[in-house]
Amino acid sequence: MHAIKTPSFFRPASRPSSPAPAPAPPPSRPDSGIGMERSRPLNKLSLTTFRRASPAPGPPAISNTPAPLIQDGSYLEMLGLKLSEAVSKAIAQPNGPPAAHEQVSGRRPLPAGRGRALGSLIASELRAASENQHLYRAILRSLHRPLSVLSGNLSSILVPLLSSPQLLALPSTVPSAPTLNPTQLHVIGISSLAGELLETFDDFALGLDGDLRGDGLKQVRETLMSLVNRVVNPFLGMMKNELAPFVESLEVPNGKTAKASQNLHPSITALQTVMPAYSKAIARYTTTPASQTVLATHVISLIWKSLVALTARPYVPPSPPSSPLSVPVGAAKKRRGSPTASPPLTPSPARFTIKLPSSRPPSPPAAPSALTTSADARALFDLLNLLPRPDASKKTTRLAREAVDEAYDGLKALPTFIDLVYTTPSVSSADDTAQQLLAAAADIPTLIALPVVLHVYGRGDSVSTLLGLTEESYRSGCLTGFGRAEECAGAVGERVLNMLNAGDTIPRNWLEAELAEDMLPSSL
């Protein structure tokens, strides 16, 4: 009992004593008896808790580059599923109401951008694993199955469309009608998807190595390229065959007399009607770098045919103006009689007949003058300039763009050169004239400028006549393109120099300077 009543000071207590409770803070409202000892504050019950939380500010638009997957133990399995889903979305039918002018068998064409979306997914995963070579090669192996399925599905969709007679129909030139028909829109969708995916292949150099130890995507790359070529090549070939006759007919001058504002070649007038629609259709077919290399070949070919046709026009020296016919003085006085003069008592019957101007002789047939040829050349340059050009920002098409730009520069410089040759005053010295012609023909191939100079300053002989060849043989051997003309310029120029007379000072001086300038880059 004593131990119970008297606790020992040396024995520790079974539990520590709790601290004194802190005084409760005053209630939030004077008339409220609820204290603040609750674990949840009162502001949780305010009206703001029933409002919808504002979303966190995100990017204004969906990023073109998807976020890569987390590289954990299930990364490759998740990547395969993600790639399969992306391939299914790439060839799925687009949403939205269909239009009547784009359906084929109840299906709509694939919209642009599907291939770039799939390529962005592949690019993001490859960049994320760029520092891990084993994972990088594993990702490449994971691409084989989904991309093979994609190329096979695209081929199965394209094959029935290639046999359609509507595939090679000319673009419509009616402003209110669609330029392309539904079949052409469908093949463009397939070609664009394959070409856009090939841009990713080019960025990472995929499918270039045929070795089995490489990435193994060479077969996929060749299939995608085949899809693009089977769509683009036939259409561009059809467009070239359609436009080439208009260009080649420019060699024959316009024989109809017309006013200066209407004195254009009939081929130029026809091209002004069809060229806007044709260039728009060609641009739809060549939106990807894989198709723009073929585009460059056809555009350069049309420009070359234009240069050959315009410079092969026969030249007729301008004839001096004929003297006006003599008119009786009395008749002249009657025509410009004073209004104060008294009219005759009996009007002459000839007064009421149609008066034809007798002071001018009938106009001779129009000759291929510098005005007509240069005007046709300028109009043709404006029309061909509507055609699309390869993309200069892409590495794969930069060289093709440079070649196309050089061809356009030659066609653009031709009108100025023709005006200079036809209008150079005869009082200028031969050396000065040759230097002026050399500067004006800086962007024009030598064999293109040579017939123009020979027509005006030579004996009128053609280049083929001086070479002892027929015109067909000369063109098929030396004028097939820019490259062949550059190769033959030296040999043809030397032969023409040997055939020129001693009095042909201007052609000789110009041709010698032109050949020396052409040989200058090769000697450096």
Side-chain angles (χ1 to χ4, degrees):
M1 295 295 293
H2 178 73
I4 297 176
K5 293 180 179 180
T6 307
S8 175
F9 294 95
F10 300 98
R11 186 174 62 188
S14 61
R15 57 179 297 183
S17 59
S18 300
S28 58
R29 292 181 299 179
D31 57 345
S32 175
I34 303 177
M36 298 300 293
E37 64 272 12
R38 296 182 180 180
S39 59
R40 186 174 64 180
L42 290 179
N43 58 3
K44 293 293 184 180
L45 300 177
S46 61
L47 294 177
T48 58
T49 59
F50 297 97
R51 297 176 184 174
R52 181 176 298 176
S54 59
I62 299 177
S63 176
N64 294 330
T65 304
L69 296 174
I70 300 176
Q71 299 176 0
D72 53 6
S74 61
Y75 169 73
L76 293 178
E77 181 180 357
M78 296 298 298
L79 177 62
L81 295 175
K82 191 174 183 179
L83 290 174
S84 299
E85 181 184 3
V87 168
S88 300
K89 290 182 178 180
I91 59 177
Q93 281 290 290
N95 299 324
H101 68 277
E102 62 179 12
Q103 292 190 43
V104 174
S105 301
R107 296 179 59 88
R108 299 178 60 189
L110 300 177
R114 294 282 184 90
R116 288 192 177 92
L118 179 58
S120 299
L121 171 62
I122 297 174
S124 63
E125 300 298 336
L126 291 177
R127 292 191 183 98
S130 59
E131 298 180 357
N132 189 340
Q133 291 299 321
H134 297 284
L135 183 59
Y136 190 89
R137 296 179 66 85
I139 295 175
L140 294 179
R141 290 191 297 268
S142 301
L143 297 176
H144 293 175
R145 180 179 178 84
L147 293 184
S148 298
V149 172
L150 173 66
S151 59
N153 290 337
L154 292 178
S155 299
S156 62
I157 299 173
L158 180 62
V159 168
L161 298 174
L162 293 178
S163 59
S164 174
Q166 298 295 325
L167 183 62
L168 296 180
L170 292 175
S172 175
T173 57
V174 180
S176 59
T179 306
L180 300 173
N181 57 52
T183 303
Q184 293 171 336
L185 294 178
H186 277 254
V187 298
I188 287 175
I190 297 173
S191 173
S192 299
L193 194 154
E196 291 169 358
L197 187 56
L198 282 172
E199 294 184 33
T200 303
F201 274 60
D202 294 334
D203 294 339
F204 291 89
L206 302 179
L208 299 178
D209 189 4
D211 192 356
L212 295 177
R213 295 171 296 179
D215 51 35
L217 295 173
K218 185 176 179 61
Q219 184 65 32
V220 176
R221 184 186 186 94
E222 291 178 350
T223 304
L224 295 177
M225 283 297 304
S226 175
L227 293 173
V228 176
N229 293 332
R230 292 165 73 182
V231 171
V232 176
N233 288 359
F235 182 80
L236 292 183
M238 179 188 66
M239 287 288 92
K240 176 186 173 183
N241 296 334
E242 184 70 17
L243 296 176
F246 293 106
V247 172
E248 293 172 351
S249 63
L250 293 173
E251 181 177 349
V252 180
N254 185 12
K256 297 181 180 180
T257 59
K259 297 180 180 180
S261 59
Q262 303 174 353
N263 200 17
L264 289 177
H265 199 276
S267 296
I268 298 295
T269 306
L271 286 175
Q272 289 175 345
T273 304
V274 301
M275 204 62 187
Y278 286 3
S279 59
K280 181 180 178 181
I282 293 174
R284 289 289 303 274
Y285 269 83
T286 56
T287 56
T288 59
S291 59
Q292 291 176 357
T293 304
V294 183
L295 169 67
T297 303
H298 291 287
V299 171
I300 291 175
S301 177
L302 287 175
I303 295 176
W304 177 256
K305 292 179 181 294
S306 304
L307 293 173
V308 173
L310 290 171
T311 55
R313 281 188 178 182
Y315 172 73
V316 177
S319 57
S322 57
S323 59
L325 298 178
S326 58
V327 182
V329 178
K333 288 183 178 180
K334 180 181 290 186
R335 280 199 308 270
R336 58 176 185 268
S338 172
T340 58
S342 58
L345 297 178
T346 304
S348 173
R351 183 176 180 181
F352 301 100
T353 59
I354 299 177
K355 297 182 178 180
L356 297 177
S358 59
S359 60
R360 294 183 57 188
S363 301
S369 61
L371 177 62
T372 305
T373 306
S374 61
D376 290 342
R378 288 187 176 91
L380 184 61
F381 172 79
D382 294 336
L383 291 171
L384 295 182
N385 200 28
L386 297 175
L387 295 174
R389 304 190 189 189
D391 190 358
S393 61
K394 300 291 184 179
K395 183 179 179 180
T396 55
T397 57
R398 193 171 301 152
L399 185 61
R401 176 60 180 268
E402 293 177 358
V404 171
D405 290 343
E406 290 180 3
Y408 273 108
D409 292 341
L411 183 58
K412 184 178 181 180
L414 183 62
T416 304
F417 177 75
I418 292 177
D419 290 338
L420 180 63
V421 172
Y422 287 1
T423 59
T424 301
S426 58
V427 295
S428 301
S429 62
D431 293 338
D432 294 342
T433 303
Q435 290 301 321
Q436 294 178 11
L437 299 179
L438 183 65
D443 296 328
I444 304 175
T446 303
L447 297 188
I448 293 296
L450 181 59
V452 180
V453 177
L454 292 179
H455 286 164
V456 178
Y457 299 107
R459 295 171 296 176
D461 296 331
S462 63
V463 180
S464 59
T465 302
L466 296 178
L467 297 178
L469 301 174
T470 61
E471 187 67 21
E472 292 77 10
S473 300
Y474 170 64
R475 292 192 181 186
S476 61
C478 300
L479 298 182
T480 56
F482 284 91
R484 183 58 179 170
E486 185 177 359
E487 294 175 359
C488 299
V492 172
E494 293 293 339
R495 176 63 177 173
V496 171
L497 284 176
N498 296 333
M499 296 300 296
L500 290 177
N501 294 332
D504 300 331
T505 309
I506 294 179
R508 181 179 297 276
N509 293 351
W510 170 80
L511 188 54
E512 289 176 351
E514 187 76 17
L515 295 178
E517 190 177 65
D518 292 342
M519 294 294 294
L520 183 60
S522 61
S523 62
L524 292 177

